[in-house]
Amino acid sequence: SSPMDRQNRRRGGYVDFPHLSAQHRELMLDLVSTVETRLESDLLPSSLSPDVQYFENESGNSQAALHIRSGDKASPIDLVLGSWIHCELPSGALDITTISAYLKSSTDAPRFLIEFLQSSPTSLILILDLPPRKDLVLHQDYLDTFYGDTQLDKRRQELAKVPEVRPYFSSSLYIRCVCSPTAILVSINCEAGGEGRMEEIIRDHVGPVAKEVLGIWLDRCACGGRVVEVHERADLEMRDRLIKKKTIEIDLGSSLPRLFGPDVAGRVLEAIRDAFNT
Amino acid sequence: SSPMDRQNRRRGGYVDFPHLSAQHRELMLDLVSTVETRLESDLLPSSLSPDVQYFENESGNSQAALHIRSGDKASPIDLVLGSWIHCELPSGALDITTISAYLKSSTDAPRFLIEFLQSSPTSLILILDLPPRKDLVLHQDYLDTFYGDTQLDKRRQELAKVPEVRPYFSSSLYIRCVCSPTAILVSINCEAGGEGRMEEIIRDHVGPVAKEVLGIWLDRCACGGRVVEVHERADLEMRDRLIKKKTIEIDLGSSLPRLFGPDVAGRVLEAIRDAFNT
């Protein structure tokens, strides 16, 4: 393997997920490898510089890895982004692990998003959604095709049955707005059952649902072949660009400077904006 | 009073709410009178025929009252609709009580909606929202103005603190889509505390929140003076008309025929469509 591979592995490359529990790491590896295997011929190699692929703050108590692969020219995939952030905060360790996928305006199919926010071994927030790329109020056919016919809500309902699972409301109203009506936004708290119970919930409930939702996205959205007429693409592009911009602003744009200092954050955000083309 | 007034009173006119509990009735009366007092000079008298103002099914075990007042020509109010439905079903009594208000395209301010679905004296579903009239993903300023600055989410959070209150997910994905990110969609179950506890929750928690949200709507939306340029009104009208059509289709259009038979339902739905101008 190359020196960069070795360096990444030593410092914690993207797919090492060095701070996750065994079940959580296994799930992330499964999701990443499913995406990369299925979309291999669509995706270009990562072009991020090593100091963006992995970065930490001065004291080393905040660490992160970023992995971005843009879609090939002929592919409907815009880009797939994976990241993890690990921070030792006074309140304890915080781990944020994300996979998100964006599509080009040649299709209007939904995006993919999974995000885990873990603030303790027994407390986890999960956001799992195929965020829509159109105003669903105006496009009933789109709602039916991607959210009704796919029975996405059944997956949400299944997970909601687990006693430790509660609906979660993001403090950002914008994040709530960009989610679909079948979005899985839940907090999982199992102080009573401990870390073992969290592992069980990830293996038996979160994992199966996450894999199913990703499967639906790959089959119906990424590879669904739903094509948008050229004259309709401008509106879609405008909406996508706005969402990307807002997402950076609300999410990484506010957390990275806080956790990694302005220099590191500036470098990483520039690389993301580059890849996002915003 | 006129013969029609007397007839309505005997049969259960709209504001009699003959089947609600004391606290629930008091709250509804408060809300209706707040709207009608504040908007008195905006609203035309009801023009519904008596057999639409009150109706029942053949056997008399389903009863309902409907009250629609359209806005005056100069007013930004399109219409205010109030209704109650009471049905004796094999599973028990079902009561649905609603106030909804629509605005004209001269303003883009949100609508108002409150709906109570009560399937037993200790089980209540509440939908309370200022449904947006624009795609919030595209209109951050609109989101800030009506949902952020008004601190609507604080009201949702307050109500969520009551132990018997749980988030509610409508089985209709469309209904979920038309709601705002601060919508109060909750089920309240107090089998343990009984009817007395439900009365307490309505008086001490639901009532204050409902009055505050209605107050925000009256101040900032109905009387907020936010004006839309003439050339932007067509899009707004199109969206409003679609929502009205869908709302009738999903809500009353499916329940009225089932509960009141095709003849009564047909007569009532025609009157609603007339008033809705759809």
Side-chain angles (χ1 to χ4, degrees), chain A residues 96-150:
Chain A
I96 305 173
T97 319
T98 309
I99 304 172
S100 58
Y102 293 81
L103 299 177
K104 291 184 190 152
S105 63
S106 54
T107 179
D108 60 3
R111 296 185 287 125
F112 176 76
L113 172 66
I114 187 164
E115 183 159 283
F116 294 90
L117 291 104
Q118 184 145 31
S119 58
S120 92
T122 57
S123 164
L124 185 69
I125 289 165
L126 166 66
I127 300 177
L128 172 59
D129 194 23
L130 307 189
R133 292 170 65 214
K134 291 189 153 191
D135 180 1
L136 297 178
V137 169
L138 292 184
H139 299 279
Q140 174 85 44
D141 58 324
Y142 191 91
L143 179 64
D144 292 342
T145 301
F146 292 112
Y147 303 98
D149 299 348
T150 53

Side-chain angles (χ1 to χ4, degrees), chain A residues 37-86:
Chain A
T37 305
R38 180 76 174 268
L39 303 180
E40 189 51 45
S41 63
D42 288 81
L43 299 176
L44 302 171
S46 165
S47 61
L48 298 177
S49 65
D51 62 356
V52 170
Q53 287 184 38
Y54 174 85
F55 51 97
E56 48 186 46
N57 65 349
E58 266 189 24
S59 66
N61 59 6
S62 290
Q63 304 157 23
L66 181 64
H67 185 66
I68 300 182
R69 294 185 66 180
S70 294
D72 183 74
K73 207 176 172 186
S75 162
I77 311 293
D78 180 9
L79 64 95
V80 177
L81 178 152
S83 68
W84 59 256
I85 297 177
H86 171 79

Side-chain angles (χ1 to χ4, degrees), chain A:
Chain A
S1 60
S2 74
M4 196 192 296
D5 279 354
R6 280 197 303 280
Q7 185 194 36
N8 274 337
R9 205 163 298 139
R10 196 179 65 244
R11 291 157 122 190
Y14 169 58
V15 292
D16 284 348
F17 302 111
H19 304 284
L20 300 186
S21 70
Q23 290 298 332
H24 194 170
R25 181 186 304 120
E26 196 171 301
L27 171 58
M28 290 306 298
L29 281 173
D30 187 297
L31 298 175
V32 169
S33 104
T34 301
V35 170
E36 300 224 325
T37 305
R38 180 76 174 268
L39 303 180
E40 189 51 45
S41 63
D42 288 81
L43 299 176
L44 302 171
S46 165
S47 61
L48 298 177
S49 65
D51 62 356
V52 170
Q53 287 184 38
Y54 174 85
F55 51 97
E56 48 186 46
N57 65 349
E58 266 189 24
S59 66
N61 59 6
S62 290
Q63 304 157 23
L66 181 64
H67 185 66
I68 300 182
R69 294 185 66 180
S70 294
D72 183 74
K73 207 176 172 186
S75 162
I77 311 293
D78 180 9
L79 64 95
V80 177
L81 178 152
S83 68
W84 59 256
I85 297 177
H86 171 79
C87 311
E88 306 283 347
L89 300 172
S91 54
L94 173 69
D95 284 281
I96 305 173
T97 319
T98 309
I99 304 172
S100 58
Y102 293 81
L103 299 177
K104 291 184 190 152
S105 63
S106 54
T107 179
D108 60 3
R111 296 185 287 125
F112 176 76
L113 172 66
I114 187 164
E115 183 159 283
F116 294 90
L117 291 104
Q118 184 145 31
S119 58
S120 92
T122 57
S123 164
L124 185 69
I125 289 165
L126 166 66
I127 300 177
L128 172 59
D129 194 23
L130 307 189
R133 292 170 65 214
K134 291 189 153 191
D135 180 1
L136 297 178
V137 169
L138 292 184
H139 299 279
Q140 174 85 44
D141 58 324
Y142 191 91
L143 179 64
D144 292 342
T145 301
F146 292 112
Y147 303 98
D149 299 348
T150 53
Q151 310 240 303
L152 272 169
D153 205 48
K154 279 208 175 157
R155 279 73 184 196
R156 192 192 59 75
Q157 290 169 27
E158 274 167 39
L159 207 53
K161 281 183 203 150
V162 179
E164 290 90 345
V165 169
R166 293 267 175 278
Y168 166 74
F169 293 85
S170 168
S171 61
S172 158
L173 299 186
Y174 193 79
I175 300 284
R176 294 188 205 168
C177 290
V178 298
C179 287
S180 82
T182 60
I184 292 174
L185 295 154
V186 294
S187 68
I188 307 174
N189 284 291
C190 44
E191 271 176 46
E195 291 178 49
R197 176 61 183 148
M198 184 62 89
E199 287 285 86
E200 232 174 68
I201 292 175
I202 291 177
R203 187 192 62 206
D204 299 341
H205 303 285
V206 172
V209 167
K211 289 173 200 174
E212 274 189 298
V213 173
L214 176 59
I216 291 170
W217 181 74
L218 286 167
D219 291 343
R220 308 269 190 126
C221 304
C223 310
R226 185 172 153 125
V227 173
V228 169
E229 298 294 327
V230 174
H231 67 274
E232 288 174 10
R233 292 183 189 172
D235 280 353
L236 204 56
E237 254 164 55
M238 193 261 288
R239 197 175 197 276
D240 286 346
R241 193 172 303 120
L242 192 63
I243 288 176
K244 282 174 172 174
K245 223 179 116 186
K246 277 280 152 201
T247 304
I248 297 179
E249 203 178 294
I250 294 169
D251 190 5
L252 297 171
S254 78
S255 62
L256 288 186
R258 211 161 16 88
L259 299 171
F260 295 90
D263 293 350
V264 173
R267 184 175 75 220
V268 173
L269 287 170
E270 201 190 315
I272 294 175
R273 286 198 190 99
D274 248 26
F276 271 30
N277 205 6
T278 51

Side-chain angles (χ1 to χ4, degrees), chain B residues 27-81:
Chain B
L27 171 58
M28 289 306 299
L29 281 172
D30 188 297
L31 298 174
V32 170
S33 104
T34 301
V35 170
E36 299 225 325
T37 305
R38 182 75 173 270
L39 302 180
E40 189 50 45
S41 62
D42 287 80
L43 299 176
L44 302 172
S46 165
S47 61
L48 296 177
S49 65
D51 63 357
V52 170
Q53 286 183 39
Y54 175 85
F55 51 97
E56 48 186 44
N57 65 349
E58 265 189 25
S59 66
N61 59 4
S62 289
Q63 304 157 21
L66 181 65
H67 185 65
I68 299 182
R69 293 185 66 179
S70 295
D72 183 75
K73 206 175 174 188
S75 162
I77 311 291
D78 180 9
L79 64 96
V80 178
L81 178 152

